[in-house]
Amino acid sequence: MPNDSSTDPVDIVLITGPAGIGKSTLSWEVGARLTAAGLAHAIVETDELDRVYPRPSRADLERLRPGTLDISTLNLAAIWATYRALGHRRLIMSGVMVHLDFDRRWILAAIPDARITVVRLQASGTTLTERLIQREIGSGLDAQLERTLTQAQRMAGEAENGAIRLETDGRSPQELARLLLAELGWVR
């Protein structure tokens, strides 16, 4: 049962990594384990927060909420307001998040009382290539593979204080979820 205190901070676990690394799969597995343990939580995939066409202009965003630069902020705030009203205080989010400083700002603009724990998933180029070949269909594979490998290289070079780094090569989503939840102290 959710905690009813609206003054408790929100714990956000931000699962990041290059496209195709398994962020969504890990989020779903973490959610399944939290459910099994009876711990209230919500899951939001950040890709769905701005999947809209045409993209709103800055003027549109300014009209809706002055100072807002990204539609994701508005949508996350709206979704979280409902979950918060229901008493939730744990949020699992997943997304590529190449620019963590920017991403933290829009997340905190939506949920100001959040404590964000960044989880960076890592894998070898070989593993990422294998996963994308299984996932991608159609003519976009080569372009996605190039983007993914560039993202992985950039993220590997970032110094992220306090981030939990999880190597995914040779590990199942179940093992990764168990390791992550133990690290967070949410489920042993």
Side-chain angles (χ1 to χ4, degrees):
M1 172 153 281
N3 179 341
D4 290 342
S5 177
S6 62
T7 61
D8 287 342
V10 177
D11 288 316
I12 296 178
V13 175
L14 185 59
I15 299 174
T16 71
I21 199 161
K23 298 174 299 294
S24 296
T25 302
L26 179 58
S27 295
W28 301 330
E29 185 62 31
V30 166
R33 288 178 177 264
L34 291 173
T35 298
L39 296 173
H41 64 283
I43 299 174
V44 171
E45 298 215 15
T46 61
D47 287 350
E48 302 309 320
L49 295 173
D50 65 357
R51 197 177 304 271
V52 62
Y53 179 84
R55 306 261 320 158
S57 69
R58 284 205 171 188
D60 292 333
L61 295 173
E62 186 68 25
R63 181 176 39 79
L64 294 171
R65 182 174 166 192
T68 300
L69 301 176
D70 192 298
I71 189 72
S72 296
T73 300
L74 295 175
N75 289 336
L76 180 60
I79 291 167
W80 187 251
T82 301
Y83 292 145
R84 184 58 163 212
L86 293 170
H88 291 277
R89 53 178 285 292
R90 286 188 183 94
L91 176 60
I92 313 305
M93 292 179 66
S94 65
V96 172
M97 308 289 174
V98 174
H99 307 286
L100 276 175
D101 287 340
F102 171 79
D103 292 309
R104 275 195 181 99
R105 282 194 301 273
W106 73 259
I107 292 167
L108 290 171
I111 308 173
D113 61 339
R115 293 184 300 210
I116 302 171
T117 300
V118 175
V119 179
R120 280 281 199 211
L121 300 184
Q122 302 174 142
S124 68
T126 301
T127 297
L128 287 170
T129 300
E130 290 170 359
R131 289 177 184 166
L132 285 173
I133 288 171
Q134 290 176 357
R135 183 183 94 172
E136 296 296 320
I137 52 176
S139 60
L141 174 62
D142 290 339
Q144 181 60 66
L145 186 55
E146 184 177 332
R147 276 191 306 276
T148 293
L149 294 175
T150 300
Q151 291 166 352
Q153 184 176 24
R154 179 184 169 134
M155 290 175 188
E158 275 188 355
E160 183 52 46
N161 292 338
I164 297 170
R165 292 193 178 260
L166 289 177
E167 183 61 48
T168 66
D169 285 350
R171 289 182 165 157
S172 69
Q174 295 83 3
E175 180 183 0
L176 291 167
R178 182 183 53 75
L179 290 168
L180 176 55
L181 289 169
E183 176 80 20
L184 294 169
W186 288 5
V187 177
R188 298 277 171 204

